[in-house]
Amino acid sequence: LFRSSDPTSINTIQNGVDLTWSNVNYAVEITNEDKTKSWKNLVNDVSGTSRKGRTLAIMGPSGAGKTTLLKSISGRIQVDPQHRLDGTAFLNNTVFAARYKKLISFVAQDDICMGKDTPREALYFSYRLRSGATHDESIEAVEAMLKKLSIVDCADTLLGVPGLIKGVSGGEKKRVNIGSELINNPLMLMLDEPTTGLDSVNAFRIGKLLEELAHVDGRTVLCTIHSPSSELYNVFDDILLLSKGFTVYHGPREDAPEYFASIGHAVPPRTNPSEFFME
């Protein structure tokens, strides 16, 4: 997926990027009961695209390969003789070289901020460490991000450690984790199940934040998500449905019901489309 010899300058893709991946396969070596070795494919020949100014949700049941695909196309997955990755990725018309990773921020499913930090401290640390900005510049950037994330009221409350230290709510902590990546102004934001563990209200708020980042800021937003509510599902522009590592559907969200109806699986009235697709 990555080539270091691409001559294209980073400056040529500063106005936004489309991320495209082609024929991505990821396989791991396993040991069978008879002690022989074989390969198990977790992602099977998956192709797709995530466009600037739009949100893409990778959906599927547990074990479908959502996180594996996300980490494969972002270059954050283990590759060695026992873990094999094939395929090609492009930013616009440029082969996705390793040096372009600075344009993309990845928000992991697990919290990455320290529990004894406040949101203000976590954002300050992330921005100053990565940008090399001065103290005054960092303070200005942090204040702007706190307002953007709507966490000004809890800016000086500890993030907390579950069961040990009381802190901010789960939705506020998730926004801080997103903000720690967003504050460095990436062209693309990748998120691994950003709504996991949140109630429907906070999950919807996270979804609306992602929608704003794409539609207002013009960023490319790509995330995995598991069993969204109908309100959250309608936030996304495009969806990629996976099952056992294979693509089931990839395209605009509003076109999915028509496609499934055309192959004999019409969405029943008053049914959450995402739940029906999962079934």
Side-chain angles (χ1 to χ4, degrees):
L1 287 180
F2 297 94
R3 300 178 187 175
S4 59
S5 60
D6 197 296
T8 305
S9 170
I10 288 180
N11 294 329
T12 63
I13 53 177
Q14 286 291 346
N15 294 325
V17 295
D18 294 337
L19 176 65
T20 303
W21 54 95
S22 177
N23 305 116
V24 175
N25 292 275
Y26 187 75
V28 297
E29 188 179 62
I30 61 174
T31 302
N32 301 311
E33 293 183 357
D34 58 0
K35 307 302 181 181
T36 59
K37 301 286 186 179
S38 63
W39 290 94
K40 179 179 181 180
N41 285 343
L42 303 183
V43 174
N44 297 275
D45 202 30
V46 176
S47 299
T49 186
S50 181
R51 302 188 182 280
K52 60 185 176 183
R54 295 177 67 86
T55 54
L56 170 65
I58 301 177
M59 298 169 53
S62 297
K66 303 186 297 296
T67 298
T68 301
L69 176 62
L70 189 69
K71 290 184 176 181
S72 295
I73 61 181
S74 64
R76 295 174 178 268
I77 202 164
Q78 182 177 358
V79 179
D80 55 35
Q82 288 75 44
H83 300 79
R84 190 169 61 197
L85 175 64
D86 301 306
T88 309
F90 301 89
L91 289 180
N92 293 343
N93 296 320
T94 303
V95 174
F96 189 3
R99 67 177 181 274
Y100 296 145
K101 291 174 71 173
K102 67 179 67 176
L103 303 176
I104 297 175
S105 286
F106 188 95
V107 180
Q109 182 176 347
D110 299 323
D111 296 331
I112 58 174
C113 296
M114 301 295 290
K116 288 190 175 182
D117 280 350
T118 66
R120 191 187 308 277
E121 291 168 342
L123 295 176
Y124 177 88
F125 177 79
S126 177
Y127 184 70
R128 193 165 188 191
L129 180 67
R130 300 187 191 187
S131 68
T134 65
H135 172 73
D136 292 338
E137 291 171 341
S138 300
I139 291 295
E140 182 179 353
V142 167
E143 291 302 321
M145 185 55 58
L146 289 172
K147 293 178 182 178
K148 187 177 187 67
L149 298 173
S150 300
I151 51 175
V152 175
D153 293 341
C154 66
D156 298 306
T157 303
L158 291 179
L159 291 173
V161 178
L164 296 175
I165 303 173
K166 184 174 177 59
V168 300
S169 69
E172 290 166 339
K173 181 180 289 188
K174 185 65 69 173
R175 275 180 273 173
V176 174
N177 279 277
I178 295 174
S180 65
E181 296 292 337
L182 184 62
I183 197 170
N184 295 286
N185 197 32
L187 291 177
M188 173 176 284
L189 193 62
M190 292 184 171
L191 308 99
D192 186 15
E193 301 206 13
T195 61
T196 296
L198 303 181
D199 57 64
S200 59
V201 174
N202 280 309
F204 181 68
R205 288 174 178 170
I206 294 295
K208 294 299 290 184
L209 172 62
L210 300 182
E211 182 182 48
E212 178 185 340
L213 295 177
H215 294 179
V216 178
D217 297 351
R219 304 180 198 273
T220 308
V221 178
L222 168 62
C223 71
T224 62
I225 195 160
H226 184 72
S227 299
S229 65
S230 56
E231 291 83 2
L232 179 58
Y233 173 75
N234 289 330
V235 164
F236 297 104
D237 300 302
D238 304 306
I239 60 175
L240 171 58
L241 301 179
L242 294 177
S243 177
K244 299 180 180 179
F246 291 92
T247 302
V248 176
Y249 172 83
H250 180 37
R253 168 186 50 79
E254 59 269 19
D255 293 347
E258 180 181 353
Y259 167 75
F260 277 92
S262 71
I263 58 174
H265 298 284
V267 180
R270 297 183 295 278
T271 299
N272 182 354
S274 66
E275 293 181 357
F276 177 75
F277 298 153
M278 293 305 100
E279 294 174 5

